[in-house]
Amino acid sequence: QVQLVESGGGSVQAGGSLRLSCAASTYKACMAWSRQTPGREREVVATLNFDTAGYPDFAQGRFTTSRDYAKHILYLEMNSLKPDDTAIYYCRAGCSGTYDWGQGTQVTVFS
């Protein structure tokens, strides 16, 4: 089991940017960022499997995920933020089946 700790959330005006970090206790080849708002299912916003990143349509061009291999840190750079991006953002580790999750970090985008 890997321990995951997210940081970097906060409040930002629409159009602004935030960078989230996820510190992992060990290297995991497959990692991802997901988000959740009350009443909605958790949705993936970015994946990073080995060196290959993937994004859903709503995140493409605005969100970028990367990692620091030496420090076991996963990043999520979010630009052109919208109020709809308001959510708790979670870091996830694992390629399939059972995943490990962080505790989440709140992102609030105000207009």
Side-chain angles (χ1 to χ4, degrees), residues 29-106:
C30 301
M31 299 194 73
W33 290 96
S34 295
R35 69 185 184 185
Q36 188 167 25
T37 55
R40 297 182 64 178
E41 290 189 2
R42 195 171 293 191
E43 61 180 355
V44 173
V45 303
T47 59
L48 186 58
N49 298 327
F50 298 91
D51 290 331
T52 301
Y55 309 92
D57 288 344
F58 68 82
Q60 188 75 41
R62 298 192 302 127
F63 293 3
T64 303
T65 189
S66 60
R67 70 168 99 207
D68 182 323
Y69 283 94
K71 298 180 180 179
H72 304 317
I73 298 176
L74 181 72
Y75 298 103
L76 181 68
E77 184 78 31
M78 302 186 292
N79 299 309
S80 302
L81 284 163
K82 308 173 183 179
D84 283 349
D85 294 318
T86 295
I88 298 175
Y89 283 71
Y90 297 90
C91 179
R92 187 190 79 186
C95 293
S96 64
T98 301
Y99 299 110
D100 293 308
W101 295 89
Q103 83 289 348
T105 186
Q106 176 71 47

